[in-house]
Amino acid sequence: MTPEPAFLLHKRPYRETSALVELLTLHHGRVRAVAQGVQRPGSRSRGRLQPFAPLHVTWSGEGELKRLRLMESRGSVALLAGEGLLCGLYANELLTRTLPVELPVAEVFAFYTALLEALPRPDARAGGLRRLEAALLESLDAMPRFATAEGGELDPQARYVFDAASRAFRPGQPGLDGRTLRLLAAGDWDAPGLAGPAKAVARAALAPLLGARPLRSRELMRQLAERRRTGLRPEL
């Protein structure tokens, strides 16, 4: 096969010297594979197979679990630390938990790539995360419908809460006002003043896809915020 652009989402040891890896690829979405020998001391592939490092990969196999054949670097790893690193880990955990295996998600790949460029800049993180979340929801046919559960228009003066069953909104408190939801419906989730509402809507829409098990990255972000105690607002 032609080498495909990819990023490592998750890696864990497998047998003595190999690893089970989850990759986000350009044309095949999430791919699960065995990277043979990658845990062996001195392996050149071990240094390449790192989170946030752009790769070219090939694999073989007909089942759900593939075998990596080629793994080459295609650029520099994104150097992340602190909150930027935790946001990157959140993105990786989110995609690993929600994407079906081998569902083509080229737009998600594009927004993930853009997110890695944004994460070193504190003012760009929230927007990058929201755009990735929106692309993910679109690809899974789980994007909120900015209407009432019955299909009616949202009243700008009323307040609404997200209804997971209908993927729409029903009147409720505290909720978000209809005017704000109409602005989000226009698609500009990182517009000034919409950061908080966009995060709330994205979290509510993603919750049914994630299930009851909490995201580890969110807990780490909460712990970081508590340690700093400077009013940090987690972007997750």
Side-chain angles (χ1 to χ4, degrees), residues 185-234:
D188 194 4
W189 284 38
D190 59 334
L194 294 182
K199 181 173 73 173
V201 170
R203 179 175 284 204
L206 288 166
L209 303 176
L210 290 167
R213 181 160 55 97
L215 289 171
R216 176 60 177 159
S217 49
R218 280 184 182 157
E219 174 60 20
L220 292 173
M221 182 66 83
R222 186 190 65 79
Q223 293 173 7
L224 177 62
E226 287 184 354
R227 285 199 302 270
R228 291 183 177 180
R229 295 188 183 280
T230 58
L232 175 70
R233 291 182 55 192

Side-chain angles (χ1 to χ4, degrees), residues 153-176:
E153 291 188 0
L154 300 175
D155 181 349
Q157 306 303 319
R159 301 194 74 84
Y160 297 91
V161 295
F162 182 70
D163 179 65
S166 63
R167 290 193 290 113
F169 293 84
R170 56 178 173 79
Q173 296 291 339
L176 295 170

Side-chain angles (χ1 to χ4, degrees), residues 5-194:
F7 290 96
L8 174 70
L9 297 177
H10 186 260
K11 177 178 70 173
R12 62 186 176 91
Y14 179 67
R15 295 180 176 171
E16 293 185 2
T17 61
S18 300
L20 289 174
V21 299
E22 303 267 1
L23 301 167
L24 177 65
T25 69
L26 176 58
H27 298 297
H28 292 80
R30 182 169 70 93
V31 170
R32 300 181 66 243
V34 175
Q36 292 184 316
V38 75
Q39 300 289 86
R40 186 181 299 117
S43 169
R44 288 183 297 176
S45 297
R46 184 173 187 171
R48 299 185 190 123
L49 194 60
Q50 300 296 328
F52 320 122
L55 301 168
H56 273 127
V57 299
T58 63
W59 60 85
S60 62
E62 298 299 325
E64 184 175 297
L65 187 62
K66 311 299 184 183
R67 179 181 176 185
L68 280 188
R69 290 293 189 184
L70 171 73
M71 183 169 44
E72 296 178 339
S73 172
R74 61 180 178 89
S76 301
V77 61
L79 299 178
L80 305 177
E83 184 180 344
L85 174 59
L86 291 180
C87 288
L89 294 176
Y90 162 77
N92 286 2
E93 188 177 11
L94 178 65
L95 297 178
T96 301
R97 289 271 299 272
T98 60
L99 279 178
V101 173
E102 295 190 70
L103 173 70
V105 285
E107 189 169 87
V108 172
F109 188 93
F111 280 110
Y112 180 87
T113 303
L115 174 65
L116 295 186
E117 297 176 359
L119 288 182
R121 310 194 310 273
D123 62 333
R125 287 172 191 153
L129 286 170
R130 299 297 85 82
R131 287 189 288 272
L132 175 65
E133 289 167 340
L136 175 62
L137 289 167
E138 287 279 10
S139 71
L140 299 178
D141 195 25
M143 191 69 175
R145 298 188 301 113
F146 290 93
T148 67
E150 296 76 24
E153 291 188 0
L154 300 175
D155 181 349
Q157 306 303 319
R159 301 194 74 84
Y160 297 91
V161 295
F162 182 70
D163 179 65
S166 63
R167 290 193 290 113
F169 293 84
R170 56 178 173 79
Q173 296 291 339
L176 295 170
D177 62 88
R179 176 183 176 276
T180 296
L181 291 172
R182 285 186 172 193
L183 291 173
L184 290 175
D188 194 4
W189 284 38
D190 59 334
L194 294 182

